[in-house]
Every structure is written in structure tokens, then in C-alpha cells.
Amino acid sequence: MAALKITKMALNSVLALMSERWDVFVPSPSPAPGGPSGFRLFEPRPMPAPGKPGPSERDSSVNRQTCDEDTLWNGTGQGGQKGRDRENHLPEERLPQFLRRVLTVKPLKELFFPRSEPILGYCVDGAFGGNGDGTGVSVFMPEGVLPGKPRVVFGARPCDAASLTVLDRVFADEAYPDDFYISRRKNTIIVGLGCNVPAPTCFCPATGGDPFGTAGLDVLAYDLPALDGDGSSQGHYLMKAVTREGEALLGFLSEAHLGEGPSESDERACMALEERARKAIAAGLPADTQSLGRVLGGIFNHPYWATLHEKCLGCAACTYLCPTCHCFDISEEPDPGASRSGGESPKGGPERPRLTGVRVRNWDSCMFPIFTLHTSGHNPRPTGLERVRQRVMHKFYYFPENFGAVACVGCGRCVKYCPVNLDIREVISHIAALGGTGVAESISA
Amino acid sequence: MRNPYLPDIARIEKIIQETAANDVKTFRVTFVDDEVRERFSYRPGQFSEISVFGVGEAPISITSSPTQKGYLEFSVKKMGVLTTALHHSAEGDLIGIRGPYGNWFPVESMEGKNLVFIGGGIGLAPLRSLINYVLDDENRGRFNDVTIIYGARSPGDLVFKWELEKWEKRRDIDFYLTVDKGDAGWSGREGFVPTVLMEVSPSPENAVTITCGPPIMIKFVIQNLLKLGFTPAQIVTTLEMRMKCGVGKCGRCNIGSKYVCKDGPVFTYEELQRMPQEY
Ligand SMILES: Cc1cc2nc3c(=O)[nH]c(=O)nc-3n(C[C@H](O)[C@H](O)[C@H](O)COP(=O)(O)OP(=O)(O)OC[C@H]3O[C@@H](n4cnc5c(N)ncnc54)[C@H](O)[C@@H]3O)c2cc1C
Ligand code: SF4
Ligand code: SF4
Ligand code: FES
């Protein structure tokens, strides 16, 4: 099935049906004005027991004010069972409204490269170095890390989907394939949602993207507004398959008679949306980033970096929220009760408990001084100057040199959430201008 | 499931105290699993990530040579959390090892050449792998003259003394041992490694030089090698950067677009000149 049109009113039924076969993730709604915070598992609402009032019959407006974002949606947050109850207060017609907000705060990468995940578990018997006879230490995969059920993401933005094609280059390389990431990529179908009205911070076209780009997507959905005189409807989603997996997904939905094929006027409406979005985003774009490397190669020692970094606080918001940033730390989390560090060899000492624990990888950031700090105290990137330069160089020079793609998809998150308004679009344009003035050549010479 | 972070288990067979201050120890280890022992093949210059479970990991050069079969050796200086825990372990203890990682010394292109090794302190560890590879009976004929200049701050800081004696006795090596400052029991040479290098004054003709040591030593050694007429391409060294993954993913060990864990740790000075001065 190449294309399928569903009404927005049917969205919940569509997601519920998909949930039977896939774990379905949607942008999680947030009552805060900032928009959805990240992607969450969609749990279909249970059917109301006969005789009891259905969830939607309760007064949702009261709860909307008191719910925090974690508990509002399907209770996967701290809210526990209470959250599960509250989820039912979310009127289903709100989801399309959430989807209309352009970007989640946290990027899509979290579903493939989680903020924190165990990469191995260990168990050490007897003395902490094993039993002394070559036994007593085992290393294993921690349970429940890898996804079991295949997944569908509904409502990813094209920039976030494109970011996965950047991350693929790092985690799915030939030399050291990382199946934590790869297995999640392989079992996830991504339904994107084109951006009818790009946010003021969006600049995907300057990175080779497009508000209706399909890179990294299996299906691209168009948000078709309600037509005049179509009073009861909120409009439609027109879903177009990009890959075979996407086609299969649409086939599955159409078999359940949840939609219909698009008409010619729908196609025209899609084209109109694309044109309007492209026109809107074209105003205020920074310079194109794809040839920035040529300039950056010559300005490593340019005085610009000294002024640029001055206002940066080193908070790392820009890198944590960036969909293409992949740096991580590996740290040890021994279970409480047994810690070996600093102790003398336990040989001959009192019997100590068996040591178990996990090794965890966590998002990390090149904006922190400790990121590159040697034990000797030497730090190759001792100040903000080197660190801000590293971030810019990595995205627009080093990464393209290594992988043939810029490591920025123009999502604008770092622009929006930087507390001191260090705007990467200005950085891009400034650097491009340095190239134009021939500074690059003179500095490198 | 391909998990690039999963170490294999190895047993510490032997621990050698190297320095007087006991801040460097050499660990001889063997993999517990025979299959891993067979599979783990490495070249001089590569490193491993060593795990002490419950503590963490650190990148350590493999100081043994691939010609030494059946075991690996690592020489570790007590610096921080992991290296201290390793120093506290005993023979028979089990540790984790993953690797080998990184590139290696360009052995093939060194064939038929005069080799000049210049090491300082524990910087001899990665060089030692190549030295013993070259000195192996099967390989010695493939290389020309071998010169080794090795020094440390004091006699107590010299590492691998048990092996230096053997090298000193060999007639197919020019071996120069030096300390910055001797003590009562020291009758050997005194002087900084870069100074001794000028005294020895090896010819750049058909030569390759391989150097590793404290950053300040490397700096002056390179200056002096250039004075002696070595070209940047003839100077090979190894670098250290803070590392975590060892496989080019965690993003912290880069110098420009080169990742020291994957594209290094071995670089020629010619390559370093093309990289940003950020290490
Ligand atoms: C390629 C390579 C080969 C090395 N070979 C040897 C060797 O043969 N013998 C030896 O004694 N030392 C070697 N080192 C240095 C050794 O890795 C560090 O001394 C060690 O990581 C310090 O860890 P720690 O846990 O004791 O210190 P902590 O400061 O407690 O370590 C915290 C973390 O910092 C990182 N780190 C800190 N300093 C360094 C550093 N200089 N290099 C890399 N990572 C660092 C590690 O990830 C470590 O887990 C090598 C380093 C590299 C990069
Ligand atoms: S650098 Fe900024 S704009 Fe570019 S992808 Fe990362 S967060 Fe988005
Ligand atoms: S978000 Fe802004 S202040 Fe924070 S580290 Fe990034 S550039 Fe610096
Ligand atoms: S150590 Fe992780 S990228 Fe080099």
C-alpha cells in the first residue's frame, strides 16, 4: 500500500490497532507551553467496564492543570498506577494538537541510543578477583535491554529521522557494529510527520534537509487541515510509504479498513503544503552548512573562537538535546554492599560478599571540561574556547571528513534551549562569511 | 548480539614490580577461554581496554610482543581509580580485556631499515612490544641496525630492568641506558634522553625512529631528531588521549578528525603536523 488517508478522529484507533502488533511511540504531550517533551509508549485506553462511566466522560480540564507531564500520558513516569489512571483523562482528540507542535524537547535518538543504558552485567564470586582458579567471574548481557517487540514511531519530524542516518554512521559501522543501536534501528518503523509550519528556529534546508524530507523515514504523513464546511472533522493524515516496511504498515492498516486511498485533490493539497513550508522556512536560513568544512579547515586558530565561547556557560544543553550528538561516558555501577575500589587485595582477608553490578553508558558532552581531562591533570581542551570550537568543528568539519555528512540536521533545538542564546545559525553564517572574505586561506597559510 | 563493550576474562599469572617506588607493575595475563587466546591476535603498538569489575576500565598498551605466545603483558603506572585497583590485585585474580584496538607500528615499511628506539619512563611499554618483535629470531634478519636509547628520571624509575639486562648483552643492538640523575649505586650514564640522543647522533640514512615517553621528552626528542636530519615522516610516536569506548564511538579521543583510539595511537610526526595542536 503506497498511500493511505485517515481522519484525525481515527488516529487513536489506528494507534491502538498498531499497538497489537508493535510497541507504538508517539510524542508525549506536555501541559507546559514548551510542547511535547519526548517520545513515549502509547498505551491504548482500556474499554470502560459496562455501567461505569468511560474515561472521556470525566472532567478532563481539572486534571490537565494538576497533572505533571510524566504522569499525564500512559503512566510510564514516576506516577505509577496513579499515572495510569490519569492517562485516561487525556481526551483523545488532543493528540493531533500535540502532534502539530513542531518538535519534542528531547530528540528521537533517545529511542535508539538511550540517555542511560546498561551495556553489560558482571558477577564476581569469592574474592573480588574470582576464586583464584580461573573461575568466579562472569560477564553477561543485562536482561531486558534490547527491545523484544518491534516498534513503530508515529509523528517523528523529518529532521529527527534524518539524524538517525547520521548516527547510523557511528554505531552501525563495519569495524565495531553496536547492536544495542542497530537492533533498535532494525525493529523500528518510523512514521514521520511533515512540518506544515516550521518553527522559527528550524533551518533543516541549510543542512540538506527539508520540512517534508524522507531521509530515515518509512512513512511520511501529511497533516491535511479540515476543509471549509467540513465542520465536524479535524482534518486528515495522508500517509505515504517511503520504504517497503512502510508499505507493509500501511497495508496492515488498510486491511482493517481504517482509511482510504488519497484523491487527486489530496495530492494537490500535499504539494501546496510542501511549497508553503519551503517558502516559509527559506526566509531567515543561515548559510549552507555542507561546504562549511572547507572554511573550518583553515580557521582553527582564528580569533573568532575566543569571542564566540565567551558567553557559553558550558551547560551542555545544546549537546544533550542534539539529535546527532552521540558522545557517551561508560561508568561502573556496582550493586551496593560491595565495592572494591581503593581496597587492598582481599586474598586471605575476611570473606566478602559476591560482587555484582552493571556497566552503564550515559550521554556525555564535549562541552564539559572533564570530558577530555587526563589523570595527569593535562587537558587538551582546557577552556570553553577549545570546547565550543570542538562542537562546531565536529559537526561541520570532522564528521563530514570522516563520514561524508554534516552532523547537524537543522532542528534548532540548540538554538531554542541555549540559556544564553548562543545561536548556531549565527555561527554558521559567520564562518561562511569568513570563507567568503578569504580569511580561511590566509590563516591556514 | 555484537556488543563491542564486552570484555573477555583473563587471569593474572604474574605480577612484576618494576620501579623502586612500586608505582609501575607489569601484569602477565592469559585468557581463561582457550578459544579467545587463539583469536586474540595483535600487532606491536596496539592497546587494550582493561577492566577491573566493580571499578571500571582503562586503555593500556600491550607491552608484550605477538612473538611471545600464550599470554599478554601490560605495564601499568598507578595513576587513578582503575590503575590503583589493578595494582591492588593479586596473581590469580581475574580481569577483563577487550581489544586489541588502534593501529600499530608500520612494521612492514620498517623492514630493511635501521631502527632507532627512543623511550622515556613507562613510555618504553609500547616500544617494548615492537623491540621484542624485531629481536625475535624469526624477524631479526628482516631489519637492519637496532639502536635503543632509554632513560628515566632515576635508576629506580627504570622499567623492565630484568629485560634491559638481556638487551645490553646482545651484540646486535646498540643500547644506551641513561638516567636524569643517578644515585649511589649508579655507575651508568647520566643525562636527559634528548641530550643522549645528540651524543649518539644516529644517522637518518635509511632509518626510522620510534619514540614514546613523557610529552616534554617527546617534544625535545623530535626537535633534536629534526636537527639530526630526520624528516617528519621518519619519526614515529604514540599518543595518549582520554578514552572510554576504544572503538571510535564515545567521541572524546579525537584530534581534529582523527580518533586516537581508531586512527592512532601510532602517528608519524608528519601526520601530527597536519593535525590541530590539541593534544
Ligand atoms: C592508547 C593508550 C595507551 C596507554 N598505555 C598505557 C600503559 O601502557 N601503561 C600505563 O600505565 N598507562 C597507559 N595509558 C594511560 C592510562 O590509560 C591512564 O593512566 C589511565 O586511563 C588512568 O585511569 P585511572 O582509572 O587510573 O585514572 P582516573 O583518573 O581515575 O580515570 C578516570 C578515567 O579517565 C580516563 N583517563 C584518564 N587519564 C587518561 C589518559 N592519560 N589516557 C587515557 N585515558 C585516561 C580513563 O577513561 C579512566 O577510566 C595509556 C593510554 C592510552 C590512551
Ligand atoms: S546542532 Fe543544533 S540545530 Fe543542529 S542538529 Fe544539533 S541541536 Fe539541531
Ligand atoms: S547550550 Fe549554550 S551555554 Fe549551554 S553549553 Fe551549549 S552553547 Fe554553551
Ligand atoms: S575512546 Fe571513544 S572515541 Fe576514542
Side-chain angles (χ1 to χ4, degrees), chain B residues 17-25 76-79 87 122 153 156-157:
Chain B
Q17 174 180 338
E18 297 287 358
T19 53
N22 201 12
D23 61 346
V24 177
K25 286 181 179 174
V76 181
K77 183 164 183 173
K78 193 163 149 183
M79 291 292 288
H87 268 242
I122 194 181
R153 264 175 318 180
D157 288 313

Side-chain angles (χ1 to χ4, degrees), chain A residues 203 318 321-324 391 395 407-414 424:
Chain A
F203 62 96
C318 50
L321 297 181
C322 176
T324 67
R391 176 170 161 249
K395 294 205 168 297
C408 169
V409 291
C411 72
R413 285 186 177 92
C414 61
I424 194 123

Side-chain angles (χ1 to χ4, degrees), chain A residues 176-250:
Chain A
Y176 300 104
D178 179 323
D179 273 344
F180 294 96
Y181 175 88
I182 296 171
S183 61
R184 295 187 183 106
R185 274 289 269 151
K186 280 202 178 139
N187 88 340
T188 309
I189 298 172
I190 304 178
V191 182
L193 186 57
C195 304
N196 290 3
V197 187
T201 44
C202 292
F203 62 96
C204 56
T207 65
D210 185 88
F212 288 83
T214 55
L217 287 176
D218 296 294
V219 173
L220 176 62
Y222 291 76
D223 179 339
L224 299 179
L227 297 172
D228 290 342
D230 194 3
S232 64
S233 159
Q234 292 192 44
H236 293 85
Y237 292 117
L238 172 55
M239 300 191 272
K240 295 188 185 177
V242 179
T243 63
R244 280 163 165 268
E245 288 75 14
E247 270 181 33
L249 176 76
L250 296 188

Side-chain angles (χ1 to χ4, degrees), chain A residues 70 83 97 123 134 157-158 172 180-181 185 213 225 316 326 340 441:
Chain A
D70 260 354
Q97 290 170 22
C123 177
R157 292 296 175 176
F180 294 96
Y181 175 88
R185 274 289 269 151
H326 57 80
R340 164 179 178 140
E441 286 71 23

